[in-house]
Amino acid sequence: MKVTFYGIGYVGLVQATVLADAGHDVCCVDINETRIENLKKGIIPIYEPGLTPLVEKNFAEGRLTFTTDAEFGVNFGDLQFIAVGTPPDEDGSADLQYVLKVAETIATHMTSPKVIIDKSTVPVGTADKVRAKAQQVLDSRGSDLTFAVVSNPEFLKEGAAVNDCKRPDRIVIGTDSADAEELMRELYAPFNRNHEKIIVMDIKSAELTKYAANCMLATKISFMNEMANIAERVGADIEHVRQGIGSDSRIGFQFIYPGCGYGGSCFPKDVQALVRTADGIGYESQILKAVEAVNYAQKNKLFEYISKHFGVGIDGKDLSGKTFALWGLSFKPNTDDMREAPSRVLMEQLWAAGAKVQAYDPEAMEETQRIYGSRPDLSLMGTKESALNGADALIICTEWQNFKAPDFALIKQQLSEAVIFDGRNLFEPTRMTKKAIKYYSIGRGLSVTE
């Protein structure tokens, strides 16, 4: 089948590439000329395991093309995927200007019937707006061409997006058109062979399904962080609690790890957007507002521990002269994405208190440089070990695999004080006590050395 994607970011590039790898002919359209030229050269704008060789292979074999020519893209594919960004507006609602611009572009250039597919994460009712925009343009052209609008939300995890596309656990298709449903089933047939994964529903239900899924996962995280805060106050160990409740099949172990807050491009934005949608229909979503509030507060936890340990605020004391080793900048492992990352909140708090940061991340160093530029209180280090040199303490913000078994003797040797502030609970407190390391973790109390 011939397919066009508009917006070549995380969702668009991964889904387009996997569809091309399955045998479809896919055209990727983006207004960013540099991005398109780089993609033709095999330079991928994001870090996603397994993506680069897949792009290179399908581009070389001619099934994947890149262009800035929107008219070419419109006339290339029968299926037109909108995968552009929907950034939060000032009030937290999703900004649909890019989605509607693509709809306008498709209607402006189409010369044959099309299926327009919303792949971007969009609020309930967006398909109606896309349909209205496209019809308005066709009417102004005096055209009687027909089109269908489909909601086909993505359920990709950054760091595992390629595998999620290749082996989806469900494929949600929202449509009121039997012909569009048939085409979508044909498109996804290569991914639907082992057992039925396609779930067809009305468009608004499909739109809400995406938000409901992300908000449920965000709720689990915030709930667990709230339990961690209670555990600290009553003297319980949240890791024991996690194992106790995760063993219940109704709850499960996924997304119940306490930590220093969630980030990324999806959970924060989608919780806010659904709250605004609810507000817009006169319903107050108390649970989602609490999820957002807990997460906002949780991103301050590490700085609270640091402030308490170093006596910040006592007799006007700040962190001037202190240097902190920071392991982990991305919002989660296996990505370079720093959108809404807890590390950003922490670093900005440390800088405001007069401290310096020596940071290391396996993939997010360039992104950190892009966001913050060069500044005297930030040093980006080549290894996790070099970040320790001369630092007063170690802070962990991201649970990268190679942070989980460090050289503790080296940590003690390099730090001016043997203290770790762990936002991801990577180590056992009793083990840290035996190693004479003062250890702060989430919901587990302080491991006090003798």
Side-chain angles (χ1 to χ4, degrees), residues 91-252:
D91 65 351
S93 60
D95 184 350
L96 297 178
Q97 61 172 310
Y98 306 111
V99 170
L100 296 178
K101 183 63 178 177
V102 173
E104 179 182 339
T105 298
I106 294 169
T108 298
H109 298 297
M110 61 188 281
T111 57
S112 61
K114 303 291 180 185
V115 176
I116 302 173
I117 303 149
D118 284 334
K119 196 68 176 176
S120 303
T121 300
V122 293
V124 177
T126 299
D128 292 340
K129 295 178 181 178
V130 167
R131 182 181 288 110
K133 173 60 72 173
Q135 191 61 57
Q136 176 189 3
V137 174
L138 287 172
D139 289 345
S140 69
R141 290 176 53 192
S143 172
D144 59 0
L145 286 170
T146 60
F147 65 92
V149 178
V150 170
S151 174
N152 176 218
E154 53 84 14
F155 300 99
L156 308 181
K157 299 184 296 291
E158 290 188 34
V162 171
N163 187 64
D164 286 347
C165 269
K166 285 185 170 183
R167 299 173 182 82
D169 50 16
R170 78 279 207 197
I171 301 167
V172 172
I173 298 171
T175 183
D176 54 11
S177 164
D179 290 340
E181 177 186 337
E182 184 178 347
L183 287 171
M184 295 297 290
R185 286 186 177 277
E186 182 180 350
L187 177 74
Y188 284 118
F191 312 96
N192 194 43
R193 298 184 65 186
N194 291 339
H195 62 273
E196 183 62 56
K197 299 177 182 179
I198 292 176
I199 304 171
V200 180
M201 59 185 71
D202 64 277
I203 293 175
K204 289 185 177 180
S205 294
E207 291 172 331
L208 183 57
T209 295
K210 168 61 178 177
Y211 278 104
N214 278 354
C215 289
M216 172 60 82
L217 298 177
T219 299
K220 291 183 72 174
I221 295 171
S222 280
F223 173 83
M224 206 60 190
N225 283 333
E226 192 149 88
M227 292 302 103
N229 293 332
I230 294 172
E232 283 185 1
R233 288 161 174 78
V234 302
D237 185 333
I238 194 62
E239 283 300 303
H240 295 161
V241 176
R242 180 183 66 80
Q243 293 167 18
I245 68 172
S247 301
D248 187 328
S249 61
R250 297 168 300 175
I251 298 173

Side-chain angles (χ1 to χ4, degrees), residues 8 13 35-45 55 66:
I8 313 305
L13 182 58
R35 172 171 292 191
I36 291 298
E37 289 306 311
N38 283 341
L39 282 165
K40 291 177 180 178
K41 299 172 185 175
I43 302 172
I44 310 303
V55 171
F66 301 103

